[in-house]
Amino acid sequence: MDGNLKETHRYDDIIDLPHHVSDWHPHMPISDRAAQFAPFAALSGFGSAIEETARVTEERIELDDDQKAELDLKLRMLRELLPQRPEVSIVYFVPDVRKAGGAYTTITGHVIKMDDFLSVIVMDNGTEIPIDNIFGIDGELFRAMEVSE
């Protein structure tokens, strides 16, 4: 090959031309240009549906008659001692808003109110516990009752 001949390549005829700028379409920002290469989620929402299905909830436990009687006695004692703002631990069921079941939660604090109209116990931190969802109540005042029996 002769040294005076220039080797030609496929795009040699256009490589030195100026970059075209459209008169009709505005220039795309770099952030939008990057988005066009983002992965496509053909099954959008599928991942969250799988996570929701995998999330575990507990079945609500039904109290037997003896447990209901004991809970009723503790609620009556709690009502009598309400002016003293007794400290108790309450285990209650919180129904899940998305699927069947729920979770048992324990809260410890001072009871400030028992609302018969709404059928809730109000704790000092503002938590309202539906009485029908209470699974158990414990506290010093109940332990003293068990010792005296």
Side-chain angles (χ1 to χ4, degrees), residues 101-113:
Y104 281 91
T105 302
T106 302
I107 186 169
T108 301
H110 297 275
V111 177
I112 60 170
K113 182 179 178 183

Side-chain angles (χ1 to χ4, degrees), residues 81-94:
L81 297 172
L82 200 56
Q84 298 171 19
R85 293 184 57 179
E87 183 177 47
V88 295
S89 291
I90 300 176
V91 179
Y92 63 102
F93 185 75
V94 179

Side-chain angles (χ1 to χ4, degrees), residues 40-53:
F40 174 68
L43 299 174
S44 63
F46 187 66
S48 56
I50 290 174
E51 288 175 15
E52 178 62 25
T53 303

